[in-house]
Amino acid sequence: MLLVALALALAPGAVLPAQPALHRFPDVIAVKVRAAGGDRFDFDVTVSSPYDTPQRYADGMRARSADGTVYGERKLWHDHAGEQPFTRDLYGVEVPLGVRSVIVEARDQKFGYGGKTVEVNLPGR
């Protein structure tokens, strides 16, 4: 039976199982948000990155609207190989008065923004 299954799998035109997709992006796994006065907010963003070496790592994060308007962004200048997942702040983000929530996402050096995002409601809105 095993030989029959192997022969079918190796036959011309056989469909082989898909390979796992390359994990290209870091994931945002948690966000804490606080009102900082006026229309400003502070975010503590927890990121998990599969690539975390000096050659390739999560190198940024941002808070944006659903339509892509960026309210605040932070560049990360080094890898976090000894700290996974890691949390960094994004402080003083000015968000227009009518906006009730933002999407927080992380960036990869090679592929840019992508991966899992977190949408957070803004306190007091």
Side-chain angles (χ1 to χ4, degrees):
M1 182 61 102
L2 180 60
L3 290 175
V4 172
L6 182 60
L8 289 175
L10 296 177
V15 177
L16 299 176
Q19 296 296 316
L22 176 66
H23 194 149
R24 295 180 176 190
F25 305 103
D27 294 325
V28 174
I29 58 174
V31 178
K32 292 181 183 177
V33 60
R34 295 174 302 286
D39 292 336
R40 295 188 181 278
F41 296 86
D42 295 341
F43 300 86
D44 291 327
V45 181
T46 302
V47 175
S48 178
S49 177
Y51 304 105
D52 215 22
T53 67
Q55 295 75 34
R56 182 169 173 205
Y57 58 90
D59 71 340
M61 64 182 94
R62 69 183 176 189
R64 66 170 176 84
S65 68
D67 72 5
T69 302
V70 176
Y71 301 121
E73 189 166 13
R74 178 175 175 180
K75 175 78 173 155
L76 301 174
W77 297 102
H78 61 84
D79 66 278
H80 297 88
E83 184 185 3
Q84 282 293 319
F86 64 92
T87 302
R88 293 296 178 270
D89 59 66
L90 178 59
Y91 286 172
V93 176
E94 188 171 343
V95 181
L97 188 57
V99 177
R100 293 179 171 217
S101 66
V102 298
I103 297 168
V104 180
E105 60 188 344
R107 184 186 142 77
D108 173 80
Q109 283 181 305
K110 184 174 181 180
F111 293 104
Y113 284 99
K116 293 180 184 174
T117 63
V118 172
E119 184 170 3
V120 292
N121 293 324
L122 300 173
R125 299 250 173 126

Short mmCIF file of all heavy atoms in Angstrom, two decimals, residues 29-56:
data_model
loop_
_atom_site.label_atom_id
_atom_site.label_comp_id
_atom_site.label_asym_id
_atom_site.label_seq_id
_atom_site.Cartn_x
_atom_site.Cartn_y
_atom_site.Cartn_z
N ILE A 29 1.37 41.63 18.14
CA ILE A 29 0.60 40.67 18.92
C ILE A 29 -0.16 41.31 20.08
O ILE A 29 -1.05 40.71 20.64
CB ILE A 29 1.46 39.49 19.40
CG1 ILE A 29 2.63 39.96 20.23
CG2 ILE A 29 1.96 38.69 18.21
CD1 ILE A 29 3.43 38.82 20.85
N ALA A 30 0.20 42.57 20.43
CA ALA A 30 -0.54 43.27 21.49
C ALA A 30 -0.25 44.76 21.40
O ALA A 30 0.83 45.18 20.97
CB ALA A 30 -0.12 42.76 22.87
N VAL A 31 -1.24 45.55 21.80
CA VAL A 31 -1.09 47.01 21.84
C VAL A 31 -1.83 47.54 23.05
O VAL A 31 -2.99 47.18 23.29
CB VAL A 31 -1.66 47.68 20.57
CG1 VAL A 31 -1.54 49.19 20.66
CG2 VAL A 31 -0.99 47.17 19.31
N LYS A 32 -1.15 48.39 23.82
CA LYS A 32 -1.79 49.14 24.90
C LYS A 32 -1.77 50.60 24.47
O LYS A 32 -0.76 51.09 23.97
CB LYS A 32 -1.02 48.99 26.21
CG LYS A 32 -1.09 47.60 26.79
CD LYS A 32 -0.32 47.53 28.09
CE LYS A 32 -0.32 46.11 28.63
NZ LYS A 32 0.48 46.01 29.86
N VAL A 33 -2.89 51.28 24.66
CA VAL A 33 -2.99 52.68 24.24
C VAL A 33 -3.47 53.53 25.42
O VAL A 33 -4.31 53.09 26.21
CB VAL A 33 -3.92 52.83 23.01
CG1 VAL A 33 -5.32 52.34 23.30
CG2 VAL A 33 -3.94 54.25 22.50
N ARG A 34 -2.92 54.73 25.53
CA ARG A 34 -3.30 55.70 26.56
C ARG A 34 -3.48 57.07 25.94
O ARG A 34 -2.71 57.45 25.04
CB ARG A 34 -2.19 55.82 27.62
CG ARG A 34 -1.92 54.60 28.42
CD ARG A 34 -0.72 54.76 29.36
NE ARG A 34 0.54 55.12 28.71
CZ ARG A 34 1.29 54.28 27.99
NH1 ARG A 34 0.91 53.05 27.77
NH2 ARG A 34 2.43 54.69 27.49
N ALA A 35 -4.47 57.79 26.42
CA ALA A 35 -4.62 59.19 26.00
C ALA A 35 -3.47 59.98 26.62
O ALA A 35 -3.12 59.78 27.77
CB ALA A 35 -5.96 59.73 26.48
N ALA A 36 -2.87 60.87 25.81
CA ALA A 36 -1.72 61.65 26.28
C ALA A 36 -2.04 63.14 26.32
O ALA A 36 -1.14 63.96 26.43
CB ALA A 36 -0.52 61.39 25.38
N GLY A 37 -3.31 63.48 26.20
CA GLY A 37 -3.71 64.88 26.24
C GLY A 37 -3.95 65.42 24.84
O GLY A 37 -3.24 65.07 23.89
N GLY A 38 -4.96 66.26 24.73
CA GLY A 38 -5.32 66.79 23.41
C GLY A 38 -5.74 65.67 22.49
O GLY A 38 -6.49 64.79 22.87
N ASP A 39 -5.22 65.69 21.30
CA ASP A 39 -5.51 64.65 20.32
C ASP A 39 -4.35 63.66 20.21
O ASP A 39 -4.18 63.00 19.19
CB ASP A 39 -5.78 65.27 18.95
CG ASP A 39 -7.08 66.05 18.93
OD1 ASP A 39 -7.96 65.76 19.76
OD2 ASP A 39 -7.22 66.94 18.08
N ARG A 40 -3.55 63.54 21.26
CA ARG A 40 -2.36 62.68 21.22
C ARG A 40 -2.58 61.40 22.05
O ARG A 40 -3.24 61.42 23.07
CB ARG A 40 -1.15 63.43 21.75
CG ARG A 40 -0.77 64.59 20.85
CD ARG A 40 0.56 65.21 21.28
NE ARG A 40 0.88 66.33 20.43
CZ ARG A 40 1.46 66.23 19.23
NH1 ARG A 40 1.78 65.05 18.76
NH2 ARG A 40 1.71 67.30 18.52
N PHE A 41 -1.94 60.34 21.56
CA PHE A 41 -2.03 59.04 22.21
C PHE A 41 -0.66 58.38 22.26
O PHE A 41 0.18 58.60 21.38
CB PHE A 41 -3.02 58.12 21.46
CG PHE A 41 -4.42 58.65 21.49
CD1 PHE A 41 -4.85 59.57 20.54
CD2 PHE A 41 -5.30 58.26 22.49
CE1 PHE A 41 -6.13 60.08 20.58
CE2 PHE A 41 -6.58 58.77 22.54
CZ PHE A 41 -7.00 59.68 21.59
N ASP A 42 -0.45 57.58 23.30
CA ASP A 42 0.77 56.80 23.47
C ASP A 42 0.43 55.32 23.30
O ASP A 42 -0.57 54.85 23.86
CB ASP A 42 1.39 57.02 24.84
CG ASP A 42 1.88 58.45 25.05
OD1 ASP A 42 2.07 59.18 24.05
OD2 ASP A 42 2.07 58.83 26.22
N PHE A 43 1.28 54.60 22.58
CA PHE A 43 1.07 53.18 22.31
C PHE A 43 2.28 52.39 22.79
O PHE A 43 3.42 52.80 22.57
CB PHE A 43 0.90 52.93 20.81
CG PHE A 43 -0.26 53.65 20.20
CD1 PHE A 43 -0.13 54.96 19.74
CD2 PHE A 43 -1.50 53.03 20.07
CE1 PHE A 43 -1.19 55.63 19.17
CE2 PHE A 43 -2.57 53.70 19.50
CZ PHE A 43 -2.41 55.00 19.04
N ASP A 44 2.03 51.26 23.45
CA ASP A 44 3.06 50.27 23.74
C ASP A 44 2.73 49.10 22.83
O ASP A 44 1.67 48.48 22.95
CB ASP A 44 3.03 49.84 25.21
CG ASP A 44 3.47 50.96 26.14
OD1 ASP A 44 4.33 51.76 25.74
OD2 ASP A 44 2.95 51.03 27.26
N VAL A 45 3.65 48.79 21.91
CA VAL A 45 3.40 47.82 20.85
C VAL A 45 4.30 46.60 21.05
O VAL A 45 5.52 46.74 21.14
CB VAL A 45 3.66 48.45 19.47
CG1 VAL A 45 3.37 47.45 18.36
CG2 VAL A 45 2.85 49.73 19.29
N THR A 46 3.68 45.41 21.12
CA THR A 46 4.44 44.17 21.24
C THR A 46 4.48 43.49 19.88
O THR A 46 3.43 43.26 19.27
CB THR A 46 3.82 43.25 22.30
OG1 THR A 46 3.79 43.95 23.55
CG2 THR A 46 4.64 41.97 22.47
N VAL A 47 5.70 43.19 19.44
CA VAL A 47 5.95 42.65 18.10
C VAL A 47 6.68 41.32 18.22
O VAL A 47 7.57 41.16 19.07
CB VAL A 47 6.81 43.64 17.28
CG1 VAL A 47 7.19 43.05 15.93
CG2 VAL A 47 6.09 44.97 17.11
N SER A 48 6.32 40.39 17.37
CA SER A 48 7.04 39.12 17.24
C SER A 48 7.56 39.03 15.81
O SER A 48 6.81 39.20 14.86
CB SER A 48 6.10 37.95 17.52
OG SER A 48 6.78 36.73 17.34
N SER A 49 8.87 38.79 15.68
CA SER A 49 9.48 38.76 14.36
C SER A 49 10.22 37.45 14.12
O SER A 49 11.07 37.08 14.93
CB SER A 49 10.46 39.92 14.21
OG SER A 49 11.10 39.86 12.96
N PRO A 50 9.94 36.76 13.01
CA PRO A 50 10.65 35.51 12.73
C PRO A 50 12.08 35.74 12.27
O PRO A 50 12.91 34.87 12.34
CB PRO A 50 9.83 34.88 11.61
CG PRO A 50 9.23 36.05 10.90
CD PRO A 50 8.96 37.07 11.99
N TYR A 51 12.37 36.94 11.77
CA TYR A 51 13.70 37.29 11.31
C TYR A 51 14.24 38.34 12.26
O TYR A 51 13.73 39.45 12.32
CB TYR A 51 13.65 37.85 9.89
CG TYR A 51 12.98 36.90 8.94
CD1 TYR A 51 11.70 37.13 8.48
CD2 TYR A 51 13.63 35.74 8.53
CE1 TYR A 51 11.08 36.24 7.62
CE2 TYR A 51 13.02 34.85 7.68
CZ TYR A 51 11.75 35.11 7.22
OH TYR A 51 11.14 34.23 6.37
N ASP A 52 15.25 38.00 13.00
CA ASP A 52 15.75 38.95 13.97
C ASP A 52 17.27 38.82 14.11
O ASP A 52 17.78 38.36 15.12
CB ASP A 52 15.06 38.77 15.32
CG ASP A 52 14.88 40.10 16.01
OD1 ASP A 52 14.89 41.13 15.33
OD2 ASP A 52 14.76 40.11 17.24
N THR A 53 17.94 39.21 13.05
CA THR A 53 19.39 39.22 13.01
C THR A 53 19.82 40.61 12.57
O THR A 53 19.00 41.38 12.07
CB THR A 53 19.91 38.19 12.00
OG1 THR A 53 19.53 38.61 10.68
CG2 THR A 53 19.39 36.79 12.28
N PRO A 54 21.07 40.95 12.72
CA PRO A 54 21.52 42.25 12.23
C PRO A 54 21.29 42.44 10.73
O PRO A 54 21.15 43.55 10.25
CB PRO A 54 23.02 42.26 12.56
CG PRO A 54 23.14 41.35 13.73
CD PRO A 54 22.12 40.26 13.49
N GLN A 55 21.19 41.33 9.99
CA GLN A 55 20.98 41.42 8.55
C GLN A 55 19.51 41.66 8.18
O GLN A 55 19.21 42.19 7.12
CB GLN A 55 21.46 40.14 7.86
CG GLN A 55 22.94 39.90 7.96
CD GLN A 55 23.38 39.41 9.33
OE1 GLN A 55 22.67 38.68 10.01
NE2 GLN A 55 24.56 39.84 9.75
N ARG A 56 18.60 41.22 9.04
CA ARG A 56 17.17 41.38 8.75
C ARG A 56 16.39 41.32 10.05
O ARG A 56 16.50 40.35 10.80
CB ARG A 56 16.70 40.29 7.81
CG ARG A 56 15.23 40.46 7.46
CD ARG A 56 14.84 39.56 6.33
NE ARG A 56 13.39 39.65 6.16
CZ ARG A 56 12.67 38.70 5.63
NH1 ARG A 56 13.23 37.60 5.20
NH2 ARG A 56 11.37 38.84 5.51
#
